[in-house]
Amino acid sequence: PTADAAAVMAARSEEYFRGVRRLAEILAHLHRALGTATGNPRFDPEPIRPEDLAQWGRWMEDNALAIFDRIAPLAPGEGPEMREFFRRFPRQRERILTAFGRMASLRPEGWRKHRVHGDFHLGQVLDTRGDFLLMDFEGEPLKPAGLRVAKYSPLKDVAGLLRSYNYAIYAALFAARERYHLAETTFAVAGSTLGGRVTRPRDGLSQGADTTSPTPASPSICASPSICPGIHAPFSSDSI
């Protein structure tokens, strides 16, 4: 990238990480407030007991097994990413269950539990153009009311936020890839419809090529056999 582009990227990165740090500070303030003793037993912090860790570990295992049972019968499809995922799936499954099973062996000396947000992710954050507001403190909506107001380690909210950032990263990557494939498909369809005389930017227009020369639609990006006759490898969502 040019010096100007690099400067813009650096400024955006700094703005992003400034927001990340600020949101972390707000979450810490929230946990300090919720972890302050007030004399109300429904809110006062309590020591985390070994029984708590064992129970949380069992819940996590049960939730993971339910998800694994839904994944196992699925077909990997043709995409290389999904084929690699299913190749690694048995090993990853065992690693996750083993990690959850170790929770019961931990010794929580000095650890505390208290009321937490309970369903913390980026969708629960309002950007006020300079700061953030948190909302929706009712906990995970699909859980029973008693569990939604139970006391947990504040790391539950931290884990929810980290997972949400991971979702956001992949959402952006998938959106960018979809836009790329859409642009490729659009040029392929236009090229076929206009007799192959539309050149894709990366192959011609961006390099000052002769745009009057036919450029056939690429077989890997044709949207439909009915639009691109003679193309035997139409665009498939499996390649996304």
Side-chain angles (χ1 to χ4, degrees), residues 4 30 34 41 45 57 59 63 82 92 97-98 116 130-131 162 175 187 212 214 219 226 233:
D4 290 342
L30 171 67
L34 293 174
W59 287 343
N63 289 335
M82 292 305 297
Q92 293 291 79
L97 293 177
T98 299
V116 297
D131 215 340
L162 292 177
F187 276 103
T212 62
S226 63

Side-chain angles (χ1 to χ4, degrees), residues 58-114:
R58 286 193 295 269
W59 287 343
M60 293 163 67
E61 287 184 38
D62 291 344
N63 289 335
L65 286 171
I67 295 172
F68 295 152
D69 289 344
R70 294 175 61 184
I71 292 175
L74 300 178
E78 298 299 324
E81 296 95 341
M82 292 305 297
R83 288 202 302 271
E84 176 64 14
F85 171 83
F86 275 90
R87 185 187 70 80
R88 299 172 57 189
F89 175 68
R91 174 59 178 157
Q92 293 291 79
R93 180 185 186 277
E94 292 307 313
R95 290 180 61 187
I96 291 170
L97 293 177
T98 299
F100 292 166
R102 285 201 298 263
M103 287 191 64
S105 64
L106 299 177
R107 293 294 174 262
E109 288 88 357
W111 300 0
R112 299 196 310 167
K113 62 180 180 179
H114 53 71

Side-chain angles (χ1 to χ4, degrees), residues 25 35-37 50 54 59 90 105 120 130 132 142 159 172 175 182 186 196 200 204 217-219 229-230:
E25 291 173 354
T36 300
W59 287 343
S105 64
F120 195 63
F132 301 103
L142 297 181
L182 178 61
T186 300
R200 288 180 292 147
S218 170

Side-chain angles (χ1 to χ4, degrees), residues 136-234:
D136 290 349
F137 284 80
E138 74 272 18
E140 296 182 64
L142 297 181
K143 286 192 174 181
L147 294 180
R148 288 158 60 179
V149 298
K151 298 174 183 179
Y152 297 98
S153 166
L155 292 178
K156 176 181 174 68
D157 288 342
V158 176
L161 180 59
L162 292 177
R163 181 180 64 174
S164 189
Y165 276 121
N166 184 259
Y167 284 173
I169 291 169
Y170 276 93
L173 290 174
F174 290 151
R177 184 158 59 173
E178 288 174 1
R179 287 195 297 270
Y180 169 79
H181 281 294
L182 178 61
E184 291 280 85
T185 304
T186 300
F187 276 103
V189 173
S192 175
T193 304
L194 300 178
R197 293 183 177 275
V198 176
T199 305
R200 288 180 292 147
R202 70 175 187 178
D203 293 338
L205 294 179
S206 61
Q207 302 175 11
D210 180 5
T211 59
T212 62
S213 300
T215 301
S218 170
S220 64
I221 59 175
C222 182
S224 168
S226 63
I227 297 177
C228 303
I231 302 297
H232 302 293

Side-chain angles (χ1 to χ4, degrees), residues 125-133:
V125 179
L126 296 177
D127 185 348
T128 62
R129 301 297 182 182
D131 215 340
F132 301 103
L133 297 176

